[in-house]
Amino acid sequence: PKPSTVLLGRTNWKILIAGLPGSGKSTFLQLLSVADIRQGEVIGVEDLYTTTGVEIHAVDLAALDHVEHWCSLCREKTAWVLLVDSSDQDSLSLVKERLSTLLEHQEFTALPLVLLANKQDLPSALSVEEITDLLELPEKMEQVNQQWNALGGSTHTGDGMEETFNWVLEHGRLIRNTGIMKSAASA
């Protein structure tokens, strides 16, 4: 199925998408068909997009002074997706620093995380393994005992998006109207 149809028919899925400017958040949202975003339009510090049964908060990692507010957003989320521009090696040190800060908060470590190494279609892109190594992701996730995955793809071509959405659906927390959190597998 197309990425935009993977979440159709789902209910109460609330996802946090984080990334630096230029990481592909807008294009990711376009693929989900939850946002009518024009080419080049910038997502603000925090924007909310909804479609049938799915709510997505997109946040800009460059504005980390909002981390306490983001923690409150996580309390009712299914999972979070961290988008990284695989072709921008200079930005990875900032991503690493911001990720470390977020992982100091239980609200973030309680949610399943999928790192999407975006822009894998570009010749200058680092591999998923190179990015996870540079971010020290395996070590960080082991320290906080967090469920996670790292996938490669391209929001521009759509490659890897279905796998990303399916991982979120398989491993994310399903939020029931009762407010009780359950894993998607047990729902």
Side-chain angles (χ1 to χ4, degrees), residues 2-100:
K2 290 178 23 179
S4 61
T5 62
V6 172
L7 295 175
L8 286 178
R10 305 293 175 168
T11 57
N12 298 318
W13 283 89
K14 299 179 180 187
I15 302 165
L16 182 74
I17 298 175
L20 292 175
S23 61
K25 297 183 301 291
S26 298
T27 310
F28 187 86
L29 291 166
Q30 287 174 326
L31 287 171
L32 281 175
S33 300
V34 297
D36 184 21
I37 299 172
R38 292 183 300 273
Q39 186 68 24
E41 187 174 342
V42 176
I43 290 178
V45 170
E46 174 200 333
D47 289 324
L48 175 65
Y49 301 92
T50 59
T51 188
T52 307
V54 180
E55 174 184 288
I56 297 177
H57 267 102
V59 297
D60 182 351
L61 276 182
L64 197 59
D65 54 329
H66 298 278
V67 70
E68 295 302 326
H69 174 64
W70 296 352
C71 286
S72 69
L73 295 177
C74 284
R75 291 185 189 112
E76 295 184 2
K77 294 296 181 264
T78 303
W80 67 297
V81 178
L82 175 61
L83 277 102
V84 175
D85 182 344
S86 301
S87 68
D88 185 1
Q89 292 183 26
D90 295 336
S91 71
L92 291 178
S93 61
L94 181 56
V95 171
K96 180 180 176 180
E97 173 189 316
R98 299 301 164 93
L99 179 61
S100 294

Side-chain angles (χ1 to χ4, degrees), residues 148-162:
W148 71 284
N149 197 4
L151 301 170
S154 169
T155 55
H156 179 73
T157 65
D159 290 341
M161 297 304 104
E162 184 178 346

